[in-house]
Amino acid sequence: MTERNEPTEEQIADAWHSAAHVTLAPGPREVTEAAPDPDDEWTLPGGTAWVYLADPKKGLTRPVLLTDGFNSGPSDLDFLWEGLERGPYKLISELRARGRDVVLLGFDERSASLLDNARVVRGAILEALAQRDGQHPLTVGGFSMGGLVARYALAKMEHDEEEHGTKLYFSYDSPHRGAWIPIALQSFAHYIRRLNSAFSNQMNSPAARQLLWQHIAEWGDTPETDKERGTFLAELERVGGWPSEPRKIGVANGVRTGEANHVRPGERAFHGKGLAITGTHLYTQSAGDEQLVAQLRVVTLRKPRIHTSGLPEVDGAPGGTLEGFGILADELNEIPAFIGLGSQADERAHCFVPSVSAVALRDIDTREKLYEPFTDSEESELDEYLCASHNEGHTLVTEELCTWILDRLP
């Protein structure tokens, strides 16, 4: 049953497909201009490498492999370039200025299993070793999910007794102990699947199930650690957990001081304003039992309420943030107003990768672990790490974090 004068589900679905594509990912939503043509392009099993040489006359001499992160669909060179070169810090230019060859690694499907996409990193490492002029060691790492894919690829190569020639491994705000998408957003994604499945498909993809600390497959499910994550962690452990030959460093887009971001628990973060979505309210995560995180209403008169129990106040935790609520509202507002999906993000962002996860220090299952400050005396699985001086966008490429990595290149 629909309300009087409200568009039908078919009209809404048609408008949604033509005007909006809701998927969650950091970085630019649009590209200002195309990336320059690479000096070389490698076709790899499951992906592509775009090579930018420091000096084309010398060829490949000092390779730095940068691995793409999580999203849906294939990696896009233009978007990679936009995030790495047209933000606060020109990382590609600085690498090349320091005599490093930049190898950007992209996946045919970014939401595929991390174990499958590790083939791309392995293939790029072998190609770099084959084409390298000289014996300068490789640097291999990645952003967000890419840091985990690179970590597994290197560890597996060592386990399989394959030479990887890598002296430095780095991760850039990678969720070593898990990432977080609010249950409110996950439930909304699955609730609107009949109208547009892209958001739900992303949340239920192999990569999302492996990355997220808590996951739901249907809008009314109880949050849990997905079995795909358990499989990935078991396989990572089987190959040693970490590569042992390279030095292992990492950076976090969040602070180590315990300072929360500005997101408060139990606050409304998103609400529907259009006729077809009025009644939808999404809330930030609160601790305790039977905490309301969502009331859902799209088209139908039904308004189910989603509650969680036993989860900490993750949305406000120190760490790299993602504009999950903001992206959802922005995309819905791209749909013509007469369809009735107009929305507002009362709070645009939430913590996506807690600082303690990015520096492989603690699990993220309690408030104490998330918010307690940490010092160098607390042992990380990384050899060395740096946290940002304030909580900022997940994988934001900043001078503070990038120069710290650059100063440690072999």
Side-chain angles (χ1 to χ4, degrees), residues 20-246:
H21 185 69
V22 181
T23 57
L24 301 188
R29 303 292 286 179
E30 296 182 357
V31 170
T32 56
E33 61 179 292
D37 292 335
D39 296 299
D40 198 3
E41 184 172 318
W42 304 339
T43 299
L44 304 169
T48 304
W50 297 282
V51 183
Y52 292 88
L53 299 172
D55 185 348
K57 294 180 181 178
K58 294 182 179 179
L60 190 75
T61 57
R62 304 170 84 185
V64 176
L65 280 61
L66 309 178
T67 309
D68 196 11
F70 173 66
N71 203 333
S72 295
S75 295
D76 187 309
L77 174 60
D78 294 335
F79 275 94
L80 271 171
W81 190 272
E82 191 81 12
L84 296 174
E85 189 68 2
R86 299 197 182 105
Y89 187 74
K90 297 182 182 296
L91 177 58
I92 297 174
S93 291
E94 186 58 35
L95 280 164
R96 297 170 82 187
R98 295 190 183 208
R100 268 47 180 214
D101 308 303
V102 178
V103 183
L104 302 179
L105 303 186
F107 307 115
D108 290 345
E109 178 49 67
R110 286 170 288 180
S111 67
S113 167
L114 279 64
L115 303 176
D116 292 339
N117 275 336
R119 298 177 302 149
V120 180
V121 180
R122 175 183 177 273
I125 289 171
L126 295 178
E127 188 68 23
L129 294 176
Q131 294 203 24
R132 178 185 57 178
D133 186 1
Q135 296 298 314
H136 194 87
L138 274 59
T139 294
V140 178
F143 296 82
S144 189
M145 178 189 78
L148 283 177
V149 176
R151 169 184 163 185
Y152 173 74
L154 289 167
K156 188 173 189 300
M157 291 183 77
E158 290 184 5
H159 179 270
D160 295 344
E161 299 184 344
E162 278 191 292
E163 175 61 40
H164 56 60
T166 301
K167 189 172 183 178
L168 181 70
Y169 159 83
F170 78 90
S171 63
Y172 202 109
D173 214 39
S174 296
H176 293 293
R177 298 293 185 93
W180 168 257
I181 295 293
I183 302 304
L185 283 169
Q186 293 188 53
S187 65
F188 183 86
H190 303 318
Y191 193 72
I192 52 90
R193 184 165 51 204
R194 69 187 188 280
L195 299 172
N196 188 294
S197 63
F199 192 7
S200 176
N201 291 343
Q202 185 193 31
M203 292 298 97
N204 276 342
S205 67
R209 291 173 182 265
Q210 292 167 347
L211 292 169
L212 293 176
W213 166 56
Q214 295 287 286
H215 177 266
I216 57 172
E218 301 290 345
W219 61 265
D221 284 355
T222 299
E224 63 180 1
T225 299
D226 193 87
K227 64 180 181 180
E228 286 270 1
R229 177 163 177 77
T231 299
F232 168 69
L233 293 176
E235 173 61 17
L236 187 61
E237 184 65 24
R238 186 188 71 84
V239 297
W242 296 84
S244 61
E245 295 172 17

Side-chain angles (χ1 to χ4, degrees), residues 336-372:
F338 74 89
I339 293 297
L341 291 175
S343 303
Q344 180 174 320
D346 308 282
E347 179 60 69
R348 291 190 62 87
H350 56 83
C351 179
F352 180 52
V353 177
S355 297
V356 291
S357 178
V359 301
L361 194 70
R362 304 177 193 148
D363 291 330
I364 60 174
D365 55 339
T366 68
R367 177 181 174 83
E368 289 72 25
K369 293 175 184 176
L370 287 165
Y371 286 86
E372 187 69 25

